[in-house]
Amino acid sequence: MIRLAVVVILLATAATAAPDRSLRPPERAGTPILEASGAITPARQNSAALAAADRGQGLAESLRPELRPRKFRRIARNRQRMRERGAVCGDWEIQGEPVGNVPGKWRGCGVADAVRVNTVAGVTLSQSAIMDCRTATALRTWVEDTAKPTLAKTGGGLKSLRVAAHYICRTRNNKPGGRISEHGKGRAIDISGVQLHSGQVISVLHGWQAKDTSQFMRTLHKGACGPFGTVLGPNSDRFHRDHFHFDTAWYRTGPYCR
């Protein structure tokens, strides 16, 4: 009983002597600076902490990160400038305007995050073309890598692409009951010819066989095979005698080009 009484007395004494909260460590020189209002701003807090570290006193506390890293603020500003200057798909070389989601009148048609393209790599389209960004990027690659170099020494170079078709909700080759065309998904564009800076227009229909244009028309066709997954021209079937069909549908064996 005596031992139990001693233990009780010791516990009661310890509880009375213990602080009601954790002791606060002494402040270090260079700890957060109060504004006139009494608030600590993140910028001054960070600068004071860094100054203390420079004096060899160590950081008073972990630095508070900026609300938004500079890298992402810069990306956001660049995207805003692009939109203001007409760039789409995050590419200065693709000029147009965002369209958003385009609903299809039939099941299987429609485009998510569509854009309306007016100019690609400085080459204008004869009509604004609606497509998705993957197709717009493929078109820009073809224009830069094939079309412009191929025609650079002909008629002053490439000025414009003659667009025969872009987004339209229909079946392949307009066959009743057929599968939805890539045009109906915003993944295709048809080019019926090119216009040079001299004003000359060379059509696929006549230029494919003409002696003075046959070679570079075939080069244009072949150069699209790679940027695009499907490339069709006059040698493919009767439906493509007068235009090139480019789309971004890929097959397991690679691009399909005829």
Side-chain angles (χ1 to χ4, degrees):
M1 294 296 292
I2 294 174
R3 291 182 178 179
L4 180 60
V6 171
V7 171
V8 171
I9 292 172
L10 290 175
L11 290 175
T13 302
T16 303
D20 59 353
R21 58 181 177 175
S22 299
L23 295 179
R24 180 178 181 182
E27 292 186 0
R28 299 182 185 182
T31 49
I33 301 174
L34 291 174
E35 297 288 341
S37 64
I40 303 174
T41 63
R44 298 196 66 184
Q45 183 174 352
N46 284 358
S47 61
L50 289 172
D54 290 340
R55 293 193 295 270
Q57 297 172 339
L59 292 175
E61 58 184 301
S62 298
L63 297 180
R64 178 178 177 182
E66 295 183 28
L67 295 179
R68 195 174 188 188
R70 292 180 180 179
K71 175 182 177 181
F72 296 107
R73 293 204 303 268
R74 185 170 63 253
I75 292 173
R77 286 196 300 270
N78 286 340
R79 287 178 177 173
Q80 179 62 28
R81 291 192 191 105
M82 285 186 177
R83 287 192 292 269
E84 290 172 355
R85 298 179 187 180
V88 293
C89 300
D91 191 331
W92 291 106
E93 296 297 331
I94 306 174
Q95 295 286 314
E97 59 181 336
V99 175
N101 295 333
V102 178
K105 62 180 180 179
W106 299 336
R107 183 177 180 181
C109 286
V111 192
D113 298 323
V115 292
R116 190 189 308 274
V117 178
N118 301 320
T119 305
V120 177
V123 175
T124 60
L125 306 186
S126 63
Q127 60 173 304
S128 298
I130 294 177
M131 62 191 78
D132 63 15
C133 279
R134 182 180 177 185
T135 306
T137 300
L139 183 63
R140 188 259 300 159
T141 300
W142 173 72
V143 168
E144 287 187 332
D145 295 351
T146 300
K148 289 175 72 174
T150 299
L151 299 169
K153 297 181 180 180
T154 304
L158 179 61
K159 179 181 180 180
S160 174
L161 298 176
R162 314 300 292 177
V163 177
H166 49 104
Y167 173 74
I168 181 173
C169 185
R170 64 169 174 80
T171 59
R172 293 182 180 179
N173 300 321
N174 290 303
K175 291 183 177 180
R179 297 178 63 179
I180 295 296
S181 167
E182 294 302 312
H183 284 283
K185 303 172 186 177
R187 301 174 188 168
I189 185 169
D190 289 349
I191 305 296
S192 62
V194 297
Q195 182 178 8
L196 307 178
H197 280 284
S198 64
Q200 180 184 6
V201 175
I202 305 171
S203 68
V204 174
L205 178 63
H206 300 293
W208 187 258
Q209 298 294 347
K211 184 178 180 180
D212 58 340
T213 58
S214 176
Q215 184 58 52
F216 68 67
M217 292 300 284
R218 282 165 168 74
T219 301
L220 294 179
H221 177 271
K222 183 178 180 180
C225 192
F228 292 95
T230 303
V231 176
L232 303 175
N235 287 348
S236 62
D237 55 44
R238 63 185 178 87
F239 298 104
H240 298 90
R241 290 186 311 109
D242 60 353
H243 69 275
F244 296 144
H245 168 91
F246 301 155
D247 73 51
T248 51
W250 281 75
Y251 297 86
R252 294 181 181 179
T253 56
Y256 179 83
C257 305
R258 296 187 62 182

